């Protein structure tokens, strides 16, 4: 076997998820059976100072010769960077990803990809025009657990999927927890609210089970009916959002299929931490697949077939834990001793794409990401939620 190819990452921003991702990135891929590639970190950039980027590199265990930059421009201009990971708040993804694409860099961009579909269409056009890889970092899609669930569906275990319930909700007390309104979870200038941060996972489960498992020619955009309860004195971030989706499908593919995607920062999928309630239920005439919370990092599935057979599986993340992520953010789940966090699967996909010349993620291409953004746009339209013009704009560059 030939020597593994090493992909050199540049990390754009130094906050919570950048730290978790980078620690996971530096776990040896052989610990999860991946032997044809390796990852390294050659640079990180902070918008506030090079010193902050240096502290970040040290804290994440990056190689000692990795460069620390005090601006994102310097990072995307670094000739040693093969791919940029964008880890700023949603509000900034469009500007930051465009910066990297304009500099000729492939990009893995955190979820939600952008604030609206127009921005994402502009990024996809730019990536295609320049022949660059571009993927949304919806890490959950790349978990072996998700691959298994999709395989069960395409193998016909439960028959054609007729209905999906998907919830990703984390209870908070925003008036107390985020009293001054500056936190990215509620701050409209950072595209705060449940939908873009947590609801994206409910929609991910709907789309990866009901839409992505269909042959290309059968996939059609859903009809959308949405309700939003908006938060705060100015009502400019959503607190609880409910989306009913109806996917048109030919009769020989099971006919139309329905889904309900829900999200909230007020009530929880797992009340008092009780994770025995399946947040995701995928139903067909022959049975049901259940996925247990949290929807963004599930570790447990159950299949119940109509003859009463029950199949339970646990999906711990591989390790070793040393050097891997321990996410302690809002609603963040923790790793068991010795486990990784699970962000390395999406990094492997991006690296494999660079090695093999693919320009999009295999489990969620750009057109599917755009369609999900269209659904979120429609949801906000029906729910009366608009973010500030400066973060909704497609004008590049715009100073945020
Ligand atoms: N996949 C997952 O499990 C998770 C994904 N996320 C996603 O990652 C993104 C970042 O979230 P998270 O890491 O929690 O956020 P943090 O607030 O912890 O970090 C965001 C970083 O972005 C940079 N930044 C640049 N401009 C701004 C600004 N105006 N306000 C705040 N930060 C700014 C800062 O880095 P610097 O100073 O270095 O420039 C900051 O540290 C979001 O899109 C979120 O949805 C978040 C948590 C989990
Ligand atoms: O992507 C995410 O998943 C984990 C949550 O803690 C976090 O708020 C969200 O951004």
């Amino acid at each position: 076997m030939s020597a593994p190819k090493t992909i050199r990452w540049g990390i754009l921003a130094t906050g919570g998820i950048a730290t978790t991702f980078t620690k996971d990135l530096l776990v040896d891929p052989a610990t999860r059976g991946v032997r044809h590639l390796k990852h390294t970190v050659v640079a990180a950039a902070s918008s506030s100072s090079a010193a902050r980027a240096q502290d970040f590199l040290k804290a994440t265990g990056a190689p000692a010769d990795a460069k620390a930059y005090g601006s994102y421009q310097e990072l995307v201009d670094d000739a040693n960077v093969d791919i940029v990971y964008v880890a700023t708040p949603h509000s900034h993804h469009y500007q930051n990803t465009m910066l990297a694409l304009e500099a000729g860099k492939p990009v893995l961009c955190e979820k939600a990809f952008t604030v609206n579909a127009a921005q994402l269409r502009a990024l996809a056009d730019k990536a295609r025009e320049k022949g660059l890889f571009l993927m949304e970092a919806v890490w959950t899609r790349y978990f072996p657990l998700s691959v298994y669930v999709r395989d069960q569906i395409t193998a016909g275990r439960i028959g054609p999927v007729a209905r999906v319930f998907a919830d990703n909700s984390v209870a908070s007390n925003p008036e107390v927890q985020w009293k001054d309104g500056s936190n990215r979870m509620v701050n409209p200038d950072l595209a705060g609210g449940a939908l873009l941060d947590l609801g994206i996972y409910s929609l991910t489960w709907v789309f990866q089970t009901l839409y992505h498992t269909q042959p290309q020619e059968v996939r059609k955009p859903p009809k959308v009916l949405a309700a939003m309860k908006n938060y705060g004195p100015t009502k400019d971030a959503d607190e609880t959002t409910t989306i009913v989706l109806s996917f048109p499908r030919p009769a020989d593919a099971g006919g139309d299929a329905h889904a309900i995607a829900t999200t909230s920062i007020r009530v929880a999928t797992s009340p008092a931490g009780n994770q025995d309630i399946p947040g995701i239920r995928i139903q067909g005439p022959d049975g049901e697949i259940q996925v247990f919370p949290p929807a963004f990092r599930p570790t447990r599935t159950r299949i119940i077939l109509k003859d009463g057979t029950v199949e339970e599986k646990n999906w711990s993340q591989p390790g070793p834990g040393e050097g891997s992520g321990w996410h302690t953010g809002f609603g963040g789940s923790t790793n068991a001793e010795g486990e990784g966090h699970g962000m390395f699967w999406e990094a492997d996909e991006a690296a494999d794409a660079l090695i093999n010349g693919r320009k999009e993620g295999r489990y969620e291409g750009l057109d599917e990401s755009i369609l999900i953004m269209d659904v979120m746009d429609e949801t906000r339209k029906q729910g009366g939620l608009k973010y500030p013009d400066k973060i909704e704009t497609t004008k590049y560059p715009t100073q945020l």
Side-chain angles (χ1 to χ4, degrees):
M1 198 178 145
S2 53
K5 171 109 176 77
T6 299
I7 298 299
R8 302 169 301 173
W9 289 80
I11 310 297
L12 189 151
T14 60
I17 206 60
T19 303
T20 303
F21 176 86
T22 303
K23 287 180 176 177
D24 251 20
L25 196 61
L26 295 170
V27 172
D28 182 354
T31 59
R32 53 188 177 274
V34 174
R35 297 182 197 284
H36 69 296
L37 58 83
K38 283 192 182 290
H39 306 278
T40 190
V41 173
V42 291
S46 167
S47 57
S48 42
S49 69
R52 186 176 155 105
Q54 191 61 61
D55 289 347
F56 170 87
L57 288 167
K58 192 161 177 230
T60 52
D65 58 353
K67 295 268 185 338
Y69 295 120
S71 77
Y72 298 160
Q73 185 71 56
E74 289 170 279
L75 180 91
V76 302
D77 287 341
D78 185 331
N80 288 320
V81 169
D82 293 325
I83 180 166
V84 171
Y85 169 63
V86 172
T88 49
H90 329 309
S91 47
H92 289 51
H93 291 174
Y94 175 67
Q95 298 293 331
N96 300 153
T97 299
M98 194 60 99
L99 180 81
L101 293 173
E102 286 286 11
K105 296 293 190 222
V107 176
L108 175 66
C109 175
E110 258 311 329
K111 42 59 61 180
F113 219 146
T114 49
V115 159
N116 58 44
Q119 291 183 339
L120 183 48
R121 285 193 168 87
L123 292 180
D125 287 350
K126 181 59 68 180
R128 285 168 177 154
E129 173 198 316
K130 289 189 162 253
L132 293 169
F133 172 83
L134 176 61
M135 180 178 128
E136 183 175 15
V138 184
W139 58 317
T140 319
R141 285 231 187 191
Y142 294 87
F143 286 12
L145 176 150
S146 290
V147 175
Y148 162 82
V149 169
R150 293 192 300 263
D151 283 351
Q152 297 305 299
I153 293 168
T154 51
R157 296 289 312 280
I158 59 167
V161 178
R163 188 167 67 171
V164 176
F165 295 103
D167 182 51
N168 184 33
S169 300
V170 181
S172 66
N173 188 353
E175 292 78 7
V176 175
Q177 245 169 292
W178 304 311
K179 200 170 168 193
D180 72 0
S182 64
N183 188 284
R184 72 168 186 83
M185 292 304 300
V186 290
N187 184 343
D189 288 337
L190 302 180
L195 179 67
L196 291 194
D197 192 66
L198 300 173
I200 182 82
Y201 291 105
S202 313
L203 289 169
T204 290
W205 277 103
V206 168
F207 272 81
Q208 73 164 336
T209 56
L210 237 178
Y211 181 85
H212 194 85
T213 53
Q214 298 295 311
Q216 280 286 356
E217 63 282 7
V218 171
R219 299 179 192 175
K220 295 275 182 303
K223 278 187 276 179
V224 172
L225 183 64
M228 278 188 143
K229 181 180 178 200
N230 294 331
Y231 165 80
T234 47
K235 307 276 182 225
D236 40 18
D238 63 310
E239 170 186 313
T240 297
T241 292
T242 300
I243 313 169
V244 179
L245 303 105
S246 171
F247 288 83
R249 261 189 343 203
D252 62 0
D256 292 359
H258 293 175
I260 300 184
T262 53
T263 187
S264 181
I265 55 171
R266 180 74 66 183
V267 291
T269 314
S270 305
N274 179 341
Q275 296 194 327
D276 282 337
I277 302 153
I280 315 295
R281 296 177 64 190
I282 304 142
Q283 301 180 313
D286 299 334
E288 164 164 337
I289 303 174
Q290 301 180 336
V291 181
F292 290 82
F296 46 83
R297 187 180 182 272
T299 54
R300 197 173 136 212
T301 55
R302 179 191 288 147
I303 299 184
I304 306 174
L305 298 176
K306 73 174 176 195
D307 66 3
T309 309
V310 178
E311 296 170 8
E312 301 243 11
K313 273 182 176 283
N314 288 304
W315 300 84
S316 62
Q317 294 288 353
E322 192 188 342
S324 73
W326 188 280
H327 186 62
T328 52
F330 169 61
S333 59
T334 48
N335 313 336
E337 189 72 31
E339 283 188 345
H341 196 61
M343 307 202 84
F344 31 60
W345 302 111
E346 63 179 1
D348 291 349
E349 169 64 12
D352 185 79
L354 293 196
I355 292 166
N356 290 300
R358 290 191 309 282
K359 304 299 177 199
E360 302 186 23
R362 271 174 298 186
Y363 301 152
E364 184 178 4
L366 291 173
D367 287 342
E368 193 169 337
S369 288
I370 290 170
L371 182 53
I372 294 175
M373 278 315 305
D374 278 334
V375 169
M376 295 206 280
D377 279 2
E378 180 59 27
T379 299
R380 287 200 293 126
K381 193 168 145 203
Q382 292 183 27
L385 178 61
K386 197 172 174 321
Y387 301 119
D389 289 345
K390 68 175 181 196
I391 68 164
E392 294 254 18
T393 188
T394 52
K395 185 166 171 284
Y396 173 84
T398 293
Q399 189 63 42
L400 296 180

